[in-house]
Amino acid sequence: MVLPQILLNGVLLGGLYGLMALGMALVWGVLNIVNLSHGALIMLGGYAVYFLFTVTGLDPFAALPVAMAAMFAFGYLLQRRLLNLVVRSALLNTLLITFGLDVVLTYLAQLAFTADFRTINPTYSGANFAVAGLTVPVVRLAAFGIAIALAATLWFVLARSPLGRAIRATSQNLTAARLYGVDPGSLYAVTFGIGAALAGAAGGLYGMVSNLTPYIGAELTAKSFVIAIIGGLSNPFNVILGGVFVGVAESLAALYLGPTFTNVVGFGLLVGILVVRPSPSIRAA
Amino acid sequence: MMNKKTSIAAAIAVALLASVPLFGSDVVVQFGIDALSMATLAQAWNLMGGFTGYPSFGNSVFYGLGAYGTAIAMTKFGMPFGVGLAAGVAAATSCAALVGLPILRLRGPYFAIATLGVNGAMAEIVSNLRIAGADVGLVLPLTRNDASFYELSLALLVFCTGCVAWAATSRFGMGLVAIREDEAAASTMGVNATLYKVAAFVLAAAFTAVAGGIHAYWSTFIDPASAFDSTLNVRMVIMCVFGGPGTVFGPVVGSFILSAIYEVLAAQISTAAALLFGVVIVVAVIFMPKGLADLVQQAPGVGWRYFVRNIRENGI
Amino acid sequence: MSATAHPVPVVQALGLTKRFQGLVSVDGVSFSIAANEILGLIGPNGAGKTTLVNMIGGTIAPSAGELLFEGKPITDAPVHRRAHAGIGRTFQVMKPFPGMTALENVTVGALFGRDGGLKDMGKAREAARGWLEFTGLGRRIDTRADELGGPDRKRLEFAKALALRPKLLLLDEVMAGLNPVEVDEVIELIKAVRGRGVALLVIEHVVKAIRRLSDRVMVLHHGQKIAEGDPASVLSDPRVVEAYLGKKRT
């Protein structure tokens, strides 16, 4: 039963990966910004849930919406006050400024929270149950379910709500959107805020299944990027699927090749996908 | 075009820099070696990221290959330093050509992220190679002569900058810039885009590898973590973009300034240094998105309105 | 065929076909152009005109068919090699190098271009200056391409294509958006280019211009060639009138 168990672990972890990438794909698709500080936003969300849990004693799952609201506000202000100043600049510049933000957030976090490892450990964190001979960890299953639920919510907002219509219009044609009375500045801020809130949720869940340090951002950014490319930028469910694909591929690579060559496998996979897959619905750089 | 005034100014600057070991303290010379080497990395990055418009986040792999090529040739085969450097350059340029052919077909962020993976993958391969000392590393013959390493680093930077200056005014450089401006149109005009991109990548790899080889010999010890240091990528990109990508002297000046700032800050607290480095990037992108070179050219005419104009052009 | 001096046509297409995911955009089109000849290409929107030009220019690979340039097959040649052979083109959506001056833009064409271009920077600049004068941009050589207005950009696009010294020039709607005076200027330009021995394929919506300019006219409709011949008879062909002229464009 090793292989099915590995596959199950990969799928559950992959759902969380997909949630990590969801916010990045949204911001990339609408604002044309590849946000290199996305991983740092995930990290901040993780710390938010951690402190809500340890200081106020709030259940970490109940703390998720609070952390998401806080991250939305933070993302909104970040875009409104800072990133809107450069949003139409060359791609290299937006890459660079979000990279700078990543550095700032990482080291602010280090000053504020120290470099210690932290884990969000509610009483039920080790709980699991067995189905058909497979062990299902409760927290990971819940994380997977929340990822699906948030993807569905995002899909609904984008496809059915007036806000979603405005977002889609703006991502396709800035000038036309302006003519229809959309204020791109605030719309961009809202979109980035939603992206940050999704990152916050992903961070809280990540803190329950893994360790938080101020430095996890860079790796999570790279992972989110790969998943966003695999899943494309237009459909939230495809992003989750992309996450599941990466989660399963990682688990299988660790099983069959051992942990020493995961980076080589990862890189081969990344380049293979990039070269084979024709650019999705992304504006040329 | 490089005019006479610029050439004379550059010559004086080189002469001044070359005389630093005569009166500078050990600390200054050691700082100089690092700063010169960083400037070379930024300048080599400039060929791809600045002129050709392909921002690589994986040039550190060439640095690592240069370091390892030199170290293996010297320690395992008893070769002199020069041969070691050549071995490092050969390893790095073959890697650039092999990796470049598939990933240079990718544009913009796709290319940038694909290069991110090269460094990690190569570090892993090297740390599994017995001849490279696996994950323990290699110890090179000890030669503690900072002054000659300094002059060597300076010579490399001058040669690299000379090549970029030549490229800026040649048919080759014109082809690279055309690719940056519009690759499809460039091909239509007869530019062999694939050949030019790979050539620029290989050239950048060669300079980066020499810098890596020099550094390996100077520091007398390398291991996968220090040779394939991915933060190097970040530093070379920032220094080049801060100074002015696609210009001849911008990356050099930019990296000298940032190296100095970093050195002063790192002497205090390293976290604060890194933090301020991040702030510098954010502020620089907002107020001078085209780098120092453009600022120096444009700002004297228009004053503080230069910054307002940048924000108006790029903001919303 | 009007070619008398050159028995081999400059370009010859044999059953060129392009399918995009099941949709046939260009369907088995054959034609040839002789040196010194202007072939006008017309057809309603979506008829496959630009796709055809892209297949000749090499930015789109045909699904079937063959393409000969001066009798040699170039069906699979990469874009830059076609430029070296002597195919120049303009794009419907113009593609100047935005950050370069007009002179630098055209210099790229002269430096590369046919037979690999002029290898010498000074000579290339001189040639580029000449082409800018020729297209009427002589006063704006130091203006950045992204600061040029619409008509001047068209001139620039033209000068860039000419600078690579093409034997075949593909012009995709260079007159769109120009006023009648500017259209007249462009027609004179095109005639002057032909006077230098260049073969031209001209896509145009301005039918009056096509009538004045073309030696022959070819009409595409739903990807198929429905008529070809001298302008007067083709433009009065009932099938052409129905397919193209009957449907008034807005």
Side-chain angles (χ1 to χ4, degrees):
Chain A
M1 291 307 271
V2 176
L3 184 61
Q5 183 68 50
I6 295 276
L7 285 176
L8 176 72
N9 293 351
V11 169
L12 291 183
L13 188 63
L16 177 55
Y17 283 175
L19 178 58
M20 287 179 184
L22 211 49
M24 179 179 239
L26 177 72
V27 168
W28 187 356
V30 177
L31 280 67
N32 202 22
I33 291 179
V34 179
N35 178 14
L36 295 184
S37 66
H38 187 73
L41 296 176
I42 296 176
M43 177 267 295
L44 287 183
Y47 276 103
V49 172
Y50 174 83
F51 284 111
L52 282 167
F53 171 62
T54 52
V55 176
T56 70
L58 197 62
D59 181 86
F61 283 102
L64 276 186
V66 184
M68 285 178 73
M71 289 305 293
F72 175 86
F74 181 65
Y76 182 92
L77 287 176
L78 205 57
Q79 180 70 34
R80 185 98 233 198
R81 296 275 160 251
L82 196 72
L83 294 178
N84 270 351
L85 298 177
V86 297
V87 73
R88 286 190 296 149
S89 171
L91 184 95
L92 182 59
N93 279 333
T94 51
L95 275 179
L96 210 65
I97 195 169
T98 55
F99 173 78
L101 266 179
D102 176 76
V103 173
V104 171
L105 296 178
T106 301
Y107 287 98
L108 278 180
Q110 192 201 307
L111 287 178
F113 312 137
T114 76
D116 296 346
F117 280 50
R118 322 257 182 169
T119 316
I120 301 166
N121 262 328
T123 48
Y124 49 82
S125 66
N128 57 58
F129 59 90
V131 175
L134 297 176
T135 310
V136 184
V138 172
V139 171
R140 283 174 188 243
L141 182 66
F144 183 81
I146 289 171
I148 303 278
L150 286 174
T153 314
L154 180 64
W155 176 85
F156 185 81
V157 167
L158 286 178
R160 293 289 140 87
S161 73
L163 172 66
R165 252 196 306 283
I167 288 178
R168 279 181 292 133
T170 312
S171 76
Q172 273 152 21
N173 190 330
L174 192 62
T175 331
R178 249 197 201 114
L179 290 176
Y180 286 107
V182 176
D183 166 20
S186 81
L187 192 94
Y188 277 6
V190 170
T191 308
F192 197 91
I194 295 175
L198 290 168
L205 296 170
Y206 183 84
M208 291 186 233
V209 303
S210 186
N211 296 315
L212 291 174
T213 76
Y215 316 114
I216 56 173
E219 192 196 327
L220 299 184
T221 298
K223 199 165 281 194
S224 303
F225 181 89
V226 175
I227 294 166
I229 287 174
I230 296 173
L233 306 180
S234 43
N235 185 334
F237 293 113
N238 287 348
V239 178
I240 300 288
L241 273 181
V244 169
F245 177 78
V246 170
V248 170
E250 266 188 19
S251 307
L252 290 178
L255 176 66
Y256 289 113
L257 298 164
T260 35
F261 278 110
T262 44
N263 269 324
V264 180
V265 172
F267 173 64
L269 198 67
L270 170 62
V271 171
I273 287 166
L274 283 174
V275 172
V276 171
R277 189 189 159 91
S279 308
S281 58
I282 297 163
R283 279 166 280 179
Chain B
M1 276 298 178
M2 258 234 273
N3 56 34
K4 214 169 169 188
K5 246 202 238 160
T6 333
S7 311
I8 292 171
I12 293 173
V14 171
L16 283 176
L17 283 172
S19 65
V20 164
L22 297 179
F23 53 82
S25 68
D26 286 358
V27 179
V28 170
V29 172
Q30 280 164 19
F31 162 72
I33 295 173
D34 274 330
L36 290 167
S37 154
M38 237 9 264
T40 304
L41 299 187
Q43 188 66 284
W45 188 89
N46 189 27
L47 269 172
M48 276 311 286
F51 281 89
T52 322
Y54 276 76
S56 159
F57 287 90
N59 275 12
S60 62
V61 79
F62 307 131
Y63 187 84
L65 285 173
Y68 264 99
T70 307
I72 292 172
M74 289 177 76
T75 58
K76 303 283 170 176
F77 300 98
M79 295 290 176
F81 178 52
V83 179
L85 280 184
V89 169
T93 51
S94 355
C95 172
L98 277 175
V99 173
L101 276 174
I103 68 174
L104 282 166
R105 292 173 47 196
L106 308 167
R107 301 274 176 87
Y110 296 96
F111 173 79
I113 301 280
T115 57
L116 269 179
V118 189
N119 189 62
M122 190 57 79
E124 226 163 51
I125 291 172
V126 166
S127 53
N128 282 289
L129 281 181
R130 287 260 305 282
I131 194 170
D135 45 9
V136 181
L138 293 169
V139 177
L140 286 87
L142 189 69
T143 41
R144 210 61 203 173
N145 185 350
D146 286 348
S148 47
F149 278 107
Y150 178 93
E151 301 297 354
L152 195 56
S153 304
L154 178 63
L156 177 64
L157 176 61
V158 170
F159 183 53
C160 183
T161 305
C163 279
V164 169
W166 163 79
T169 56
S170 72
R171 182 171 179 264
F172 178 65
M174 209 60 178
L176 298 184
V177 174
I179 289 170
R180 177 187 75 200
E181 295 288 314
D182 191 323
E183 192 163 337
S187 309
T188 309
M189 323 271 298
V191 180
N192 185 345
T194 312
L195 178 72
Y196 272 59
K197 286 186 293 185
V198 173
F201 204 40
V202 165
L203 199 57
F207 287 120
T208 311
V210 175
I214 293 174
H215 197 267
Y217 193 26
W218 180 51
S219 65
T220 70
F221 170 73
I222 59 167
D223 64 359
S226 67
F228 296 97
D229 176 5
S230 62
T231 63
L232 266 187
N233 290 312
V234 172
R235 289 167 65 193
M236 61 180 103
V237 177
I238 289 164
M239 287 172 170
C240 178
V241 174
F242 178 80
T247 64
V248 176
F249 296 107
V252 178
V253 176
S255 61
F256 283 167
I257 293 175
L258 289 186
S259 284
I261 294 179
Y262 194 76
E263 188 72 13
V264 170
L265 287 168
Q268 314 297 318
I269 335 159
S270 62
T271 310
L275 191 59
L276 203 107
F277 215 53
V279 173
V280 167
I281 300 167
V282 172
V283 172
V285 172
I286 292 177
F287 291 103
M288 32 178 264
K290 290 170 194 154
L292 269 181
D294 189 66
L295 174 80
V296 171
Q297 279 168 18
Q298 307 282 331
V302 287
W304 56 271
R305 269 170 300 164
Y306 173 79
F307 304 110
V308 179
R309 196 181 66 195
N310 279 334
I311 290 175
R312 193 167 299 151
E313 265 177 22
N314 298 317
I316 193 164
Chain C
M1 197 146 298
S2 63
T4 45
H6 291 264
V8 181
V10 174
V11 68
Q12 189 170 14
L14 303 166
L16 274 189
T17 300
K18 182 65 194 178
R19 284 182 286 268
F20 289 111
Q21 296 167 347
L23 289 171
V24 183
S25 167
V26 173
D27 190 0
V29 173
S30 303
F31 66 90
S32 64
I33 312 175
N36 244 330
E37 188 185 25
I38 300 179
L39 176 64
L41 175 58
I42 59 171
N45 281 332
K49 304 182 299 281
T50 296
T51 308
L52 186 64
V53 166
N54 283 340
M55 284 194 280
I56 304 171
T59 48
I60 290 181
S63 318
E66 209 182 338
L67 194 65
L68 303 175
F69 190 78
E70 296 185 317
K72 285 176 232 118
I74 55 156
T75 320
D76 303 314
V79 176
H80 68 270
R81 195 135 322 133
R82 295 181 199 224
H84 295 173
I87 299 180
R89 69 171 296 186
T90 67
F91 288 89
Q92 190 179 2
V93 179
M94 287 168 286
K95 285 177 174 292
F97 302 119
M100 291 184 175
T101 64
L103 182 65
E104 286 167 337
N105 261 278
V106 183
T107 305
V108 173
L111 267 181
F112 295 88
R114 194 174 93 206
D115 303 328
L118 305 163
K119 304 290 196 293
D120 181 82
M121 201 70 180
K123 279 186 198 151
R125 266 171 203 281
E126 232 14 78
R129 226 178 272 274
W131 290 116
L132 285 164
E133 292 289 346
F134 180 74
T135 52
L137 269 179
R139 292 157 168 272
R140 315 218 54 186
I141 57 171
D142 290 325
T143 312
R144 270 170 55 125
D146 54 0
E147 285 164 8
L148 288 175
D152 279 348
R153 277 193 196 201
K154 301 226 163 188
R155 290 193 178 90
L156 179 64
E157 189 80 0
F158 216 143
K160 280 169 68 183
L162 287 171
L164 59 87
R165 296 176 301 135
K167 293 175 181 167
L168 169 68
L169 188 54
L170 313 167
L171 300 178
D172 196 350
E173 300 217 12
V174 281
M175 298 178 205
L178 298 186
N179 67 35
V181 178
E182 289 161 346
V183 167
D184 283 345
E185 284 173 18
V186 173
I187 289 177
E188 290 315 309
L189 267 179
I190 293 176
K191 284 184 171 165
V193 171
R194 183 256 293 275
R196 294 170 175 238
V198 178
L200 289 114
L201 177 67
V202 182
I203 296 186
E204 207 49 70
H205 268 308
V206 186
V207 174
K208 235 172 35 194
I210 282 286
R211 193 193 302 271
R212 279 170 55 192
L213 202 56
S214 312
D215 300 313
R216 274 186 306 137
V217 174
M218 174 164 87
V219 187
L220 284 189
H221 186 42
H222 294 317
Q224 289 173 330
K225 182 164 88 174
I226 58 165
E228 184 182 0
D230 68 277
S233 56
V234 166
L235 291 172
S236 55
D237 184 326
R239 282 192 305 166
V240 175
V241 174
E242 187 194 338
Y244 178 59
L245 304 171
K247 283 189 215 155
K248 272 246 150 112
R249 292 183 344 101
T250 47

